[in-house]
Amino acid sequence: MYDYAFVHLKFTVPVAVLLTAIAYPILNRIHLIQTGFLVCVAFTAALPWDAYLIEQKVWSYPPEAIVGPRLLGIPFEELFFFVIQTYITAVVYILFNKPVLHALHLNNQQNPPAWMRVAKVTGQVVLVALSVWGWKAAQVHQETSYLGLILVWACPFLLAIWTLAGRFILSLPWYATVVPMFLPTFYLWAVDEFALHRGTWSIGSGTKLGFCLFGKLDIEEATFFLVTNMLIVGGMAAFDQYLAVIYAFPTLFPKVNRYPTPHMLLQSRLINTSRYDLERIEGLREAVERLRLKSRSFYLANSLFSGRLRIDLILLYSFCRLADDLVDDAKSRREVLSWTAKLNHFLDLHYKDSDATEDPKKKAERIDAYIKTAFPPCAYQALHLLPTHILPPKPLYDLIKGFEMDSQFTFHGNSDSTDLQYPIADDKDLENYAIYVAGTVGELCIALIIYHCLPDMSDNQKRQLETAACRMGIALQYVNIARDIVVDARIGRVYLPTTWLKTEGLTHKMVLENPEGPEVIERMRRRLLENAFELYGEARPEMQRIPSEARGPMIGAVENYMAIGRVLRERKEGTVFVRKEGRATVPKRKRLSTLLRALYEQ
């Protein structure tokens, strides 16, 4: 009795609820619009086709297996299947595509490799052939009818999707398309086999080939679920392609609202691919690789941001890392001062030397010319793509001060730097250093978040959030210093204030020679951590003011770093921790669980 409703209650609804619970922290309004639109298209496209199949006795349902109400002869349970299947597959697609930065996969739109051109044309030819065969097979009302009706209905839609987004789909990693396509398909095959075995629905014997993939699962049913999931995944990917165009190219879409409009999506479809700035895509790819290699925590957290905010955060990190590397890799104090002067002049060209009457294009060309003459080629993209039109200048200048301050450790006592002292003499120097190298990054991140997510935030709220971000940055830097006492000593650096050392009867030289030795060093580490957690406690509640789209990932990144502080603080009580290259860290599983907990709490 009511077997079809039972199938939904036991197999489709629980899976949909489970997937929703898993995906909930990362779902945003764009995902809901994307999925809702696809559900509407799927429902509208399937309705007349399904009604025709029932009229032609291809599908039939025992009266006792359904609740009763119908639309165009289609049981309500079947109508619900249109919706629930589309939703399930769409959510699986969203989950597997969240780590993917789709903008990186636009580079094959102008000059695709030969194999991609061949694959696209081959796909189009195959789909046209299957459409023609399906139309003929559906006309003869024999064993090929059902298969023909599936192909003549689905293949034209697949052809349209493949023509619009085939290259983009081929560019995506396999796990972003193949897995979302086949995972729901395999599950629905099992559900269908169960329903056919129970007689919940049946296929007319004169309309099918009579070949089963396994059990009672007819090859036509298996084909139906495969091609419908191909349609859903293809539709989601096409949508993502046009979103990627909007987010990737500020020259084509200078201002993007929190959620792109349908008009913008249409524009992104109509824009000629020759206008794509592929140099920007390559620069973004370079920035992503720099992020992946240099910061595991932020690389993981960044994948949870969306839209242009995600891209701009990557570009900001790329600049910070590049500037740090230029100063760190310097062979002399003189070279350090040369790099910091060049970086400051680069900022001056953006913020101080601007003439309101100067043509923006000429200004950009002038800055580019300076980058190419003053910096190595590997630095060009990180400097060229920095979104200075959004970022406030002061934190950027202070960041350069922090890098210069770092170099004073490296060249302390060198022949060309005899006048240098250890830069962190007391608590105030320690705080200033943390502001320069970490508090500034917090302020810059908040500036990007406010610009992209809540540009109309009041000035007072902005100041409060910027202050909290700066304080949190200081806390994270204190954890960093506490963690890396041994590692820093190996490269001649002691970030513990001189006044602390003197109080404990130590010198910088003693710490450098035996950073793991005296118990007093452990006491100073704990003092750093106490300061860090005090600042964290002050700033953490203010993070709730961050706009909802960015709050979870930002808090997740902070909590992952503070987890290291907790490990250091608690290790004497037996907390298990891992050392990697001399650094205390937490296992990947712990980092992931911390991030997920932060997301669900939001």
Side-chain angles (χ1 to χ4, degrees):
M1 191 69 173
Y2 303 148
D3 273 2
Y4 204 164
F6 170 79
V7 167
H8 284 307
L9 291 173
K10 186 171 183 178
F11 295 109
T12 62
V13 173
V15 168
V17 170
L18 177 62
L19 287 170
T20 303
I22 294 171
Y24 180 76
I26 65 170
L27 292 176
N28 56 41
R29 188 176 175 185
I30 285 293
H31 292 138
L32 299 179
I33 293 171
Q34 189 177 9
T35 304
F37 175 77
L38 213 59
V39 165
C40 291
V41 171
F43 188 91
T44 304
L47 191 64
W49 179 78
D50 203 314
Y52 180 77
L53 262 65
I54 293 173
E55 182 185 334
Q56 297 298 312
K57 304 293 191 276
V58 176
W59 282 347
S60 60
Y61 308 90
E64 67 276 7
I66 59 176
V67 175
R70 293 173 179 254
L71 176 66
L72 300 180
I74 306 171
F76 273 24
E77 296 92 333
E78 179 75 3
L79 297 171
F80 183 70
F81 215 121
F82 302 164
V83 175
I84 201 75
Q85 180 189 348
T86 306
Y87 179 79
I88 288 172
T89 304
V91 175
V92 173
Y93 172 91
I94 290 167
L95 285 168
F96 280 91
N97 275 264
K98 192 56 184 168
V100 180
L101 184 58
H102 291 110
L104 297 181
H105 302 280
L106 295 172
N107 59 328
N108 290 315
Q109 300 305 303
Q110 284 186 13
N111 299 301
W115 73 266
M116 193 173 287
R117 289 196 295 268
V118 170
K120 182 175 181 180
V121 172
T122 301
Q124 289 171 320
V125 170
V126 168
L127 289 169
V128 169
L130 288 174
S131 299
V132 173
W133 184 88
W135 182 78
K136 291 182 177 179
Q139 301 298 310
V140 295
H141 300 289
Q142 57 184 20
E143 288 80 4
T144 58
S145 293
Y146 185 18
L147 185 59
L149 286 167
I150 292 170
L151 295 178
V152 75
W153 169 72
C155 286
F157 289 111
L158 283 172
L159 178 62
I161 291 171
W162 190 249
T163 300
L164 293 174
R167 291 175 186 170
F168 180 74
I169 293 170
L170 289 170
S171 299
L172 293 174
W174 66 272
Y175 64 79
T177 53
V178 176
V179 174
M181 195 182 299
F182 281 96
L183 199 59
T185 297
F186 292 154
Y187 180 74
L188 291 173
W189 281 354
V191 173
D192 195 25
E193 201 279 334
F194 171 83
L196 288 167
H197 184 78
R198 285 177 61 92
T200 305
W201 55 75
S202 60
I203 304 169
S205 57
T207 63
K208 61 181 182 178
L209 295 172
F211 174 72
C212 294
L213 188 63
F214 61 85
K216 288 185 172 293
L217 181 66
D218 296 287
I219 191 65
E220 293 87 353
E221 285 286 275
T223 303
F224 170 77
F225 284 113
L226 176 60
V227 297
T228 49
N229 284 326
M230 289 171 68
L231 284 167
I232 297 164
V233 169
M236 295 289 285
F239 200 102
D240 278 339
Q241 176 183 350
Y242 302 136
L243 282 175
V245 172
I246 293 170
Y247 294 141
F249 304 123
T251 53
L252 300 179
F253 296 92
K255 180 63 178 175
V256 179
N257 299 324
R258 295 173 79 175
Y259 307 108
T261 62
H263 181 253
M264 294 177 76
L265 287 167
L266 181 60
Q267 278 184 302
S268 68
R269 166 66 193 96
L270 297 176
I271 288 174
N272 194 299
T273 57
S274 63
R275 298 178 62 192
Y276 290 4
D277 183 359
L278 297 190
E279 186 179 347
R280 178 178 171 84
I281 299 300
E282 288 308 309
L284 182 56
R285 189 184 307 279
E286 181 184 300
V288 169
E289 184 63 12
R290 187 175 283 126
L291 173 62
R292 186 185 68 82
L293 294 174
K294 299 289 186 176
S295 177
R296 293 167 299 166
S297 294
F298 191 58
Y299 181 74
L300 178 63
N302 180 265
S303 65
L304 298 172
F305 291 98
S306 300
R308 195 169 285 176
L309 171 61
R310 180 180 180 181
I311 292 174
D312 281 345
L313 286 169
I314 292 171
L315 297 178
L316 170 61
Y317 179 88
S318 182
F319 167 80
C320 295
R321 177 51 61 183
L322 170 83
D324 190 21
D325 288 346
L326 287 173
V327 175
D328 263 359
D329 295 342
K331 300 297 187 289
S332 67
R333 175 67 176 166
R334 187 175 293 108
E335 187 180 350
V336 166
L337 295 176
S338 172
W339 284 127
T340 55
K342 289 176 179 178
L343 288 166
N344 279 318
H345 185 60
F346 164 76
L347 296 177
D348 289 344
L349 291 174
H350 279 286
Y351 295 110
K352 294 183 179 179
D353 297 346
S354 59
D355 179 357
T357 62
E358 184 179 14
D359 178 59
K361 186 176 180 181
K362 289 185 178 180
K363 177 183 176 181
E365 290 172 353
R366 180 163 57 87
I367 295 173
D368 272 4
Y370 175 73
I371 295 172
K372 290 175 181 176
T373 56
F375 295 92
C378 64
Y380 174 76
Q381 293 291 1
L383 296 168
H384 172 69
L385 295 178
L386 181 68
T388 51
H389 64 291
I390 303 173
L391 299 169
K394 188 177 185 303
L396 289 169
Y397 283 104
D398 284 348
L399 186 65
I400 305 305
K401 284 183 189 177
F403 296 150
E404 190 276 331
M405 198 172 176
D406 254 339
S407 74
Q408 295 179 36
F409 291 100
T410 304
F411 300 107
H412 179 269
N414 281 16
S415 58
D416 68 341
S417 312
T418 54
D419 60 327
L420 286 181
Q421 301 296 321
Y422 276 97
I424 300 179
D426 52 30
D427 292 74
K428 186 60 179 175
D429 288 339
L430 177 65
E431 183 181 26
N432 285 338
Y433 170 74
I435 289 172
Y436 290 157
V437 300
T440 54
V441 177
E443 289 184 64
L444 293 166
C445 289
I446 287 298
L448 290 176
I449 290 170
I450 292 173
Y451 178 86
H452 287 295
C453 300
L454 202 60
D456 56 349
M457 180 182 285
S458 71
D459 291 341
N460 184 51
Q461 288 179 314
K462 286 180 184 178
R463 282 192 296 271
Q464 289 178 344
L465 206 48
E466 288 164 357
T467 299
C470 182
R471 302 294 281 173
M472 187 63 81
I474 298 171
L476 299 184
Q477 187 60 29
Y478 285 176
V479 170
N480 192 51
I481 294 171
R483 179 191 66 176
D484 292 346
I485 290 175
V486 175
V487 175
D488 291 331
R490 290 176 185 168
I491 58 174
R493 298 183 179 187
V494 179
Y495 290 95
L496 299 170
T498 304
T499 53
W500 292 16
L501 297 177
K502 286 182 178 179
T503 301
E504 299 290 354
L506 294 177
T507 64
H508 293 92
K509 183 178 180 181
M510 293 168 67
V511 176
L512 292 174
E513 290 175 350
N514 189 16
E516 292 187 275
E519 176 62 27
V520 293
I521 293 180
E522 185 61 33
R523 285 204 299 270
M524 285 185 279
R525 174 184 279 117
R526 288 182 174 277
R527 183 175 173 181
L528 271 170
L529 292 171
E530 287 172 8
N531 292 346
F533 278 95
E534 182 180 347
L535 289 165
Y536 164 82
E538 295 171 1
R540 178 65 175 80
E542 291 296 320
M543 294 188 74
Q544 295 302 128
R545 297 175 182 269
I546 295 174
S548 58
E549 302 96 309
R551 187 188 310 133
M554 284 294 289
I555 291 176
V558 165
E559 293 298 340
N560 254 326
Y561 220 89
M562 294 308 294
I564 297 172
R566 293 185 180 94
V567 165
L568 290 168
R569 191 171 60 173
E570 299 166 5
R571 61 178 177 166
K572 291 297 183 181
E573 283 72 43
T575 300
V576 177
F577 69 103
V578 179
R579 280 195 176 276
K580 185 170 183 177
E581 299 175 356
R583 288 177 170 153
T585 185
V586 292
K588 185 180 292 185
R589 182 181 298 177
K590 176 68 174 175
R591 292 200 304 271
L592 184 59
S593 66
T594 299
L595 182 60
L596 289 174
R597 185 168 59 252
L599 289 172
Y600 277 103
E601 287 175 354
Q602 303 314 306

